[in-house]
Amino acid sequence: MARTITNNIEDIDIIKIDAEGHDYKIFNQIDITKNNLKVIRLEWVNLLKEEQENIIKKFQECNFKYEISGF
């Protein structure tokens, strides 16, 4: 018997992604234009250059302020 699990999440402020090299795949599944996102934190050091560029491009398209710092 299949069971559907639903959550009544109406708003998300912060997303933290630390998935040992799978960060971009997860980030790419998030619609950052929805909800009320204030902070997105992900592990940058393990991303490919192209993935980093795509994330920056997505932030810029959505007028997000961003900072890249440390490891």
Side-chain angles (χ1 to χ4, degrees):
M1 179 164 133
R3 189 173 113 190
T4 302
I5 300 173
T6 59
N7 298 308
N8 292 322
I9 299 171
E10 295 179 13
D11 212 12
I12 298 172
D13 295 330
I14 299 171
I15 293 177
K16 181 177 188 277
I17 305 169
D18 187 355
E20 303 309 320
H22 300 283
D23 306 74
Y24 181 71
K25 291 176 187 172
I26 295 168
F27 173 82
N28 229 17
Q29 296 176 39
I30 300 167
D31 183 350
I32 65 172
T33 63
K34 289 188 176 181
N35 299 298
N36 192 22
L37 284 172
K38 293 177 179 60
V39 176
I40 300 172
R41 179 158 180 108
L42 53 89
E43 198 168 75
W44 189 257
V45 69
N46 291 328
L47 298 177
L48 301 172
K49 183 75 172 166
E50 180 181 359
E51 294 171 337
Q52 293 174 345
E53 291 169 354
N54 288 340
I55 289 171
I56 291 171
K57 182 179 176 185
K58 193 168 189 178
F59 284 156
Q60 291 172 338
E61 288 171 354
C62 295
N63 293 320
F64 271 53
K65 294 179 186 176
Y66 63 91
E67 175 183 335
I68 302 166
S69 62
F71 288 99

